Amino acid sequence: MALCLLLHLAFLRLGTTQPLAQEHGFSAPVVDWPSFSNLDSPQEVQETTEVPNNGSAPLLVDVLVFVSNVFNVDILRYTVSSTMLLRLSWLDTRLALNATGHQRGMVTLPWDSLWMPELTIREALWVEWQDRSPRARVDRDGHIELYLALTTETNCDLELFHFPRDQSDCRISFFAFGNTVMELEFKPHAVNEIVSVKREYVVRDLKTQVPSQELVPCFQVTLRLENTALKAIIALLVPGEALLLADLCGGLLPLGTERIAYKVTLLLGYLVLYSSLVQALPSSSSCNPLLIYHFTALLLLLFVSTIETVLLAGLLAQGNRRHESSCSLAPRVEQHDRGNPGPNPEEVPRGAKGSRRSWAEAADHIFFLLYLAGVGCGQLIFIVLWVWTTCKSDPAPGEAVPHGGWPRL
């Protein structure tokens, strides 16, 4: 019996098989993956850091993208900040178990001890991986599952023609520059996990796709963002429309210095508001926000209205000064011609003064009607452009020049 125990211990140290151990009443030892039996061996690690062989077909990596937050959309910098979770899964037959009677169904391994695709985001300004040392889960068949959480700020060609009621498609492209399409292929899926809508931009749609005609394995995540900010509409549209309505009401004041002061005050106030409104809106080489043109049109209308008031008031004041000078010369004429009973000189200037005033008031009334019609037509044109007009951005320089285009590495 003692001899049997010594032989059994010797066989265990040499890595004997399970049937011999069970023959003597001992439980079977836990067998680990062959490639990770000795992680200190560089040769063993090198075998698992190469792309797994899938025969003549490229290795298929299933990618599930969980978008959990889009927390900042900067329209002035054309950037979007988001947080997402990637679940990568693929098959590596080198890590499959060949031993029978294995007791563990899944183990976790460090990410740097096995092969994984090295992902690069093309549109990213910066990327922060939340877990610096993620661990992959491997089952007994060699299926690997790896989770990567990241926060990134990416460039987005926001379509802001209808701002602040705009919709834009922002693309986030993941490239594996260390491999070719003959070695690796992605199969992406997307899940929208955003549950809060208490923000300016919300995600209305989320989809993934694999771009065609690419020599580098890649996949894209497209976020459709919609602006739902009522605050921007109130802060931008209401002040301009209120000043335009106040300008129309100012046309009802009598023509004179009071109306000039009123119009000039409105114009100066809108100039201050105009500078702040334009600075709050982004600018681009094409498809600028329609509000920029709307605010500029309102500024021109206020300017024309003010100029009209100043000109008519100036002409009226100049006529009054001539009338006063003619009245001062009338007594001298009477002294030289006392015996000639002519018409009363005061009656002629009064008639001339009345005719001048009636002419100025008639011109001002005609201008007010034309101005009112112009404002109404302008507002109608703005609404039509806002609702039915779309703006197609110019092609990017890389696509427009003869030798441009997407990178083909």
Side-chain angles (χ1 to χ4, degrees), residues 94-165:
R94 297 171 300 182
L95 303 180
L97 284 175
N98 296 323
T100 59
H102 185 64
Q103 294 181 351
R104 291 185 297 179
M106 183 173 292
V107 295
T108 58
L109 299 173
W111 66 275
D112 55 352
S113 61
L114 49 81
W115 176 88
M116 62 170 290
E118 297 180 359
L119 299 177
T120 302
I121 302 178
R122 181 173 58 187
E123 297 86 357
L125 302 179
W126 55 265
V127 180
E128 181 181 356
W129 300 94
Q130 298 181 8
D131 191 357
R132 299 290 182 177
S133 301
R135 299 182 66 86
R137 294 189 296 178
V138 186
D139 64 8
R140 59 182 299 110
D141 297 327
H143 290 93
I144 303 175
E145 193 173 273
L146 178 65
Y147 288 87
L148 300 175
L150 68 148
T151 301
T152 180
E153 183 182 29
T154 56
N155 180 35
C156 178
D157 293 332
L158 298 170
E159 297 293 342
L160 299 176
F161 181 75
H162 295 94
F163 178 86
R165 298 295 300 175

Side-chain angles (χ1 to χ4, degrees), residues 337-345:
D337 194 10
R338 292 179 179 271
N340 186 12
N344 190 0

Side-chain angles (χ1 to χ4, degrees), residues 321-348:
R321 285 195 299 270
R322 290 178 180 178
H323 168 66
E324 291 176 358
S325 62
S326 63
C327 290
S328 62
L329 293 175
R332 298 179 182 179
V333 175
E334 291 178 355
Q335 293 177 0
H336 293 285
D337 194 10
R338 292 179 179 271
N340 186 12
N344 190 0
E346 295 182 356
E347 295 179 358
V348 175

Side-chain angles (χ1 to χ4, degrees), residues 222-241:
T222 303
L223 305 173
R224 171 157 294 183
L225 303 179
E226 180 181 350
N227 193 348
T228 60
L230 182 62
K231 174 184 176 181
I233 298 177
I234 297 176
L236 295 175
L237 289 178
V238 172
E241 299 297 329

Side-chain angles (χ1 to χ4, degrees), residues 152-225:
T152 180
E153 183 182 29
T154 56
N155 180 35
C156 178
D157 293 332
L158 298 170
E159 297 293 342
L160 299 176
F161 181 75
H162 295 94
F163 178 86
R165 298 295 300 175
D166 54 285
Q167 287 186 356
S168 303
D169 291 337
C170 298
R171 294 179 177 87
I172 304 176
S173 304
F174 293 84
F175 280 80
F177 289 109
N179 304 102
T180 64
V181 293
M182 302 300 295
E183 299 174 339
L184 184 61
E185 179 183 353
F186 290 108
K187 184 180 179 181
H189 307 277
V191 177
N192 187 357
E193 288 193 335
I194 300 177
V195 296
S196 175
V197 294
K198 297 180 180 179
R199 52 176 54 87
E200 184 177 0
Y201 281 87
V202 296
V203 179
R204 292 303 185 188
D205 191 16
L206 179 63
K207 60 182 180 180
T208 58
Q209 63 178 353
V210 177
S212 60
Q213 299 180 357
E214 291 285 352
L215 299 180
V216 178
C218 63
F219 65 93
Q220 286 183 348
V221 180
T222 303
L223 305 173
R224 171 157 294 183
L225 303 179

